[in-house]
Amino acid sequence: MTMGDQTVVVLTGQFGAGCTTVGEYLREEEGFKYYRLSAVIEKAAKKSLEAGIYDQLRPVERRKVLQDQGNILREAQPDTIAKRIIADIEERGDAGADVVVEAMRNPAEIQALREAFGDSVFVVALDTPLTARFERSRRDYGDDLERFKRDDARDKGEDEPEHGQRTQECVYLADISINNHAQLASSSEWDRFFTRIRKHLRLIREPACRRPTYEELYMRQAYATSLKSPCTKRQVGAVLVRESEPEERGESTSAEQEDEGRESYVIATGFNDVPIGEVACREKGPRGDPRFCPKDHEEEQKLRAMKYCPGCGTQLSVSTGKITSYRCANPACQARLPRDFVPGRMLDTCRAVHAEEAAIVQAAKLGSTAVRGATLYSTTFPCLLCAKSIVNAGIKRVVYHEPYPMDDTVAMLERCGVTLDKYEGVNAGAFDRMFKGTLD
């Protein structure tokens, strides 16, 4: 069913990304009715504990209680919490009003809201690097970065069940991505951030009110190119672009004005695939396993050869059967084995030519001399191997969407003068919906 002419903004992002801040802004400044999934979980957590216990917990202890309680509520039916919110919206008479719901932690919750509100739903993902989110959470965590990382990994979805927190998957389902990287300290910085929120909100309320930016266009093309990849683990696409610098304009500049007079064209594209003439990965594995990945197989073999954790010395007890992920059982360690102790996190065992390298090679095969100074748009952050090719090819800017947290890669690219920009704008899956009819 759909609820008529209304706007339903669904916010998602890992804790500390700013979902609550944006939700409160939409309520106070834009007239939205504000609903929080965490309020449903908190109510259930207080009920499950002895009277007054929850209020006595430290913030970091509350987070664990809420994470556990959320999993309990979703275990029988992953969309349970979202359905309670939908029922609340109907009971309070907000079915026709503009509504903001914060913050999604499981893809089933997003699906439930889309089924209830149809085309009125727009999922907005807020992205903030771990370091910035930790600084915002210092009052709760103090200097305990390792505990923050453990909570963050769980929230992201690492080693979580299907009904658990899977925020990273929710981010990938978003219609619009918004970066919230800065530590906003002054009123002018807050004003600039909320100006960006209003620009995206206008597009949500008036789809096709503007044309796509070049960044939105090329990232959409990168995702389209990624669909050609036969990789059984992750399809990656890249677009190599030659473009002039946008003119400096005022803060009120529209997206179309930013691209006005800007020369831009595609040099080459690429997707991850085995070298031409090689056998596809799925054909290397046992029959009946179309998802076979040689890299995963090699990782499993290395794991089975390990007797003790290299980090803490804990004796390992690896179960029989196929293993998709393994962490050290020592709660104080929790190392990912063997990945955390192999240089390059075993990426060198991947048989594929990566998408970024494929785009560079394609440009070379076509005889292009325009790679130096070019911009590379990639669906994921480049690995260290690709970063070396990017530097030597003379590429000066990389725009990426899905994060690939490799500090050594970031450091090398920055040392070598490559600008790194996290993508912001309409995502590929919502491109036609947001822009179709622009010229009508």
Side-chain angles (χ1 to χ4, degrees):
M1 66 177 177
T2 59
M3 300 294 183
D5 294 331
Q6 68 175 147
T7 299
V8 179
V9 174
V10 177
L11 299 174
T12 189
Q14 290 180 256
F15 65 86
C19 289
T20 300
T21 299
V22 173
E24 291 176 346
Y25 170 80
L26 294 179
R27 177 187 62 189
E28 296 171 6
E29 302 295 332
E30 300 293 337
F32 280 70
K33 303 297 183 180
Y34 182 30
Y35 290 84
R36 296 168 51 242
L37 265 73
S38 59
V40 175
I41 302 173
E42 187 176 69
K43 182 178 179 180
K46 288 182 176 181
K47 187 176 180 180
S48 68
L49 297 174
E50 294 183 16
I53 294 296
Y54 179 84
D55 294 330
Q56 297 175 16
L57 297 175
R58 295 186 298 123
V60 291
E61 295 170 335
R62 288 185 185 181
R63 174 159 286 122
K64 183 181 185 306
V65 168
L66 292 176
Q67 288 180 326
D68 291 341
Q69 187 65 51
N71 281 14
I72 292 171
L73 292 175
R74 285 187 293 260
E75 186 169 10
Q77 193 172 356
D79 59 2
T80 295
I81 305 172
K83 285 187 173 179
R84 292 189 188 183
I85 292 291
I86 294 167
D88 285 346
I89 292 172
E90 293 175 336
E91 290 173 5
R92 296 179 188 178
D94 292 335
D98 289 344
V99 171
V100 56
V101 183
E102 176 257 324
M104 298 295 108
R105 288 288 184 268
N106 187 285
E109 295 167 345
I110 292 177
Q111 182 61 28
L113 285 158
R114 281 177 168 162
E115 290 176 357
F117 297 100
D119 291 339
S120 299
V121 172
F122 296 87
V123 181
V124 176
L126 291 166
D127 180 85
T128 306
L130 183 144
T131 51
R133 288 187 288 108
F134 177 63
E135 287 301 319
R136 296 172 187 175
S137 303
R138 270 191 181 277
R139 186 171 61 181
D140 297 339
Y141 284 87
D143 293 324
D144 196 347
L145 177 59
E146 291 308 311
R147 182 164 187 173
F148 179 88
K149 287 182 176 180
R150 289 197 298 271
D151 289 349
D152 189 61
R154 183 179 182 186
D155 184 62
K156 183 179 179 180
E158 292 183 14
D159 303 324
E160 278 286 289
E162 286 299 315
H163 61 271
Q165 288 89 195
R166 308 187 74 86
T167 306
Q168 193 63 64
E169 292 180 26
C170 293
V171 169
Y172 295 157
L173 293 173
D175 300 307
I176 294 175
S177 294
I178 299 177
N179 296 328
N180 183 17
H181 295 181
Q183 299 294 337
L184 305 178
S186 66
S187 58
S188 60
E189 290 173 328
W190 280 108
D191 287 342
R192 284 194 290 271
F193 175 67
F194 288 128
T195 295
R196 287 163 47 218
I197 296 294
R198 288 192 295 272
K199 287 181 180 180
H200 292 296
L201 182 59
R202 186 193 170 203
L203 185 61
I204 287 172
R205 285 174 161 164
E206 304 174 46
C209 67
R210 67 169 175 84
R211 294 175 295 166
T213 64
Y214 277 127
E215 289 199 354
E216 290 167 328
L217 177 67
Y218 293 137
M219 192 57 72
R220 194 281 180 92
Q221 188 169 345
Y223 272 96
T225 302
S226 75
L227 299 179
K228 185 64 176 172
S229 170
C231 183
T232 60
K233 296 293 291 183
R234 170 181 268 182
Q235 294 175 301
V236 181
V239 176
L240 198 53
V241 173
R242 184 72 180 182
E243 55 188 356
S244 60
E245 291 295 322
E247 295 181 16
E248 290 291 330
R249 300 176 186 272
E251 291 180 16
S252 61
T253 302
S254 70
E256 289 186 40
Q257 288 174 322
E258 289 175 357
D259 282 344
E260 186 178 329
R262 182 179 177 185
E263 186 180 15
S264 183
Y265 51 89
V266 174
I267 301 171
T269 62
F271 54 89
N272 53 322
D273 194 3
V274 297
I276 297 172
E278 276 281 9
V279 176
C281 291
R282 61 170 56 91
E283 297 179 21
K284 298 279 287 185
R287 302 180 76 178
D289 186 5
R291 305 298 300 175
F292 178 78
C293 174
K295 175 179 169 293
D296 282 358
H297 178 73
E298 178 70 18
E299 184 171 345
E300 184 174 344
Q301 297 307 305
K302 287 184 180 294
L303 172 62
R304 294 196 180 282
M306 300 172 71
K307 302 300 180 183
Y308 300 92
C309 174
C312 66
T314 298
Q315 186 170 357
L316 305 181
S317 178
V318 183
S319 61
T320 59
K322 187 175 181 179
I323 300 172
T324 55
S325 64
Y326 188 90
R327 284 186 179 272
C328 174
N330 182 354
C333 179
Q334 289 285 295
R336 296 173 301 175
L337 303 175
R339 193 177 311 174
D340 287 347
F341 299 95
V342 177
R345 299 182 185 177
M346 299 194 66
L347 288 174
D348 57 343
T349 63
C350 178
R351 299 176 64 241
V353 175
H354 291 189
E356 301 92 328
E357 291 180 311
I360 295 171
V361 170
Q362 185 184 92
K365 290 174 70 175
L366 295 174
S368 173
T369 59
V371 175
R372 180 175 295 278
T375 297
L376 180 74
Y377 290 84
S378 179
T379 58
T380 66
F381 190 87
C383 69
L384 183 60
L385 297 175
C386 290
K388 296 173 184 177
S389 297
I390 287 169
V391 170
N392 279 8
I395 294 169
K396 289 301 181 184
R397 180 174 177 242
V398 173
V399 181
Y400 65 96
H401 189 200
E402 300 172 21
Y404 208 153
M406 297 183 72
D407 293 341
D408 47 355
T409 304
V410 173
M412 189 192 74
L413 288 173
E414 290 179 345
R415 285 196 305 270
C416 295
V418 178
T419 300
L420 298 173
D421 287 330
K422 180 72 170 62
Y423 172 75
E424 175 171 314
V426 174
N427 293 332
F431 191 90
D432 288 351
R433 176 189 180 194
M434 302 300 282
F435 295 120
K436 189 174 182 181
T438 302
L439 299 181
D440 290 350

